[in-house]
Amino acid sequence: VVAVLPNTFSSQYFYVLPMLANETTDNQALQVYSYYKTFPMLSLGDYIEVLGEVTETSTDTRLKIDDINDIKILDHDYIVIEREIKTDQINDKIINQLIAVTGTIISKEGKNIYLQDDAGQAIIYLSQGSDISASSFITKQDYKVIGLARQTKNGIKIMPRSNKDIINIKLIEENKAVEPTVLSEKIT
């Protein structure tokens, strides 16, 4: 199931969550890589089949494809729900998982946003392809941030995919919005 679209973090790859036998998704995302940067039109939640060579990078298990025909879209509209964690749970075990952290924005430095909860701090990294601006965050306000936990040379960072992954808690409370609690299912 597509969890991160092409061109969000890079033009050469995107991420999928493998479908398990019980029709839920695995927590660990796999990178689908194309040297030629050619992918079909995909949407978050597309259920796809990928034919490729499995390789390892320093941070990812990668499926390397040769061309666009190595990806077949089988179905659409699957919902992938993130795993909610506290900042003290950010460690090697959550790398390449879709997670959510909730806390207060304490500072902003370029593309790095620092979020703090009662357990510690997390670094939110705004990739160029996500089209998220640091101005989307207001210091000293509470946010829920959804993103893929990625290992970088400067530690583990949470990388949101789009503005939809940035939730201002104050606005949610004012609008009394209800969030889904389903792990993964097909919309019918």
Side-chain angles (χ1 to χ4, degrees):
V1 177
V2 176
V4 178
L5 292 171
N7 298 310
T8 302
F9 301 156
S10 170
S11 59
Q12 289 186 300
Y13 60 79
F14 67 99
Y15 286 88
V16 296
L17 292 171
M19 186 66 74
L20 302 174
N22 64 0
E23 296 193 9
T24 62
T25 55
D26 190 354
N27 289 335
Q28 197 74 32
L30 301 175
Q31 185 185 95
V32 179
Y33 171 85
S34 170
Y35 174 82
Y36 300 104
K37 307 175 188 177
T38 54
F39 302 106
M41 286 296 294
L42 297 170
S43 297
L44 291 177
D46 280 350
Y47 180 43
I48 63 173
E49 178 180 84
V50 181
L51 300 174
E53 176 187 356
V54 177
T55 62
E56 297 287 331
T57 70
S58 60
T59 59
D60 293 296
T61 299
R62 173 184 278 179
L63 292 171
K64 183 177 172 187
I65 65 169
D66 290 326
D67 65 40
I68 196 169
N69 296 318
D70 289 340
I71 299 173
K72 292 183 177 64
I73 301 172
L74 303 176
D75 208 345
H76 307 280
D77 301 325
Y78 279 76
I79 297 173
V80 177
I81 301 299
E82 65 283 351
R83 177 180 164 203
E84 303 230 8
I85 67 167
K86 292 283 201 176
T87 57
D88 65 347
Q89 295 174 290
I90 296 174
N91 58 45
D92 291 346
K93 293 179 183 175
I94 61 132
I95 292 173
N96 292 337
Q97 290 187 24
L98 191 61
I99 63 164
V101 291
T102 301
T104 304
I105 301 304
I106 57 171
S107 68
K108 303 186 282 187
E109 295 176 15
K111 293 182 176 283
N112 290 314
I113 308 297
Y114 296 86
L115 178 143
Q116 184 172 325
D117 65 10
D118 59 357
Q121 278 187 21
I123 302 173
I124 312 302
Y125 180 77
L126 308 178
S127 66
Q128 184 173 344
S130 70
D131 291 327
I132 302 170
S133 168
S135 63
S136 300
F137 295 89
I138 301 168
T139 305
K140 298 183 182 174
Q141 285 202 9
D142 293 336
Y143 288 83
K144 175 179 177 179
V145 179
I146 301 164
L148 198 67
R150 300 281 297 129
Q151 180 66 57
T152 71
K153 62 183 176 183
N154 298 320
I156 299 170
K157 296 184 179 185
I158 311 307
M159 297 177 64
R161 302 162 294 176
S162 72
N163 282 303
K164 292 179 181 177
D165 286 342
I166 309 301
I167 302 160
N168 184 312
I169 301 299
K170 184 177 179 181
L171 294 177
I172 292 293
E173 289 171 355
E174 288 173 359
N175 293 323
K176 298 186 191 302
V178 177
E179 296 184 52
T181 57
V182 178
L183 290 178
S184 178
E185 69 178 34
K186 173 83 170 92
I187 298 172
T188 54

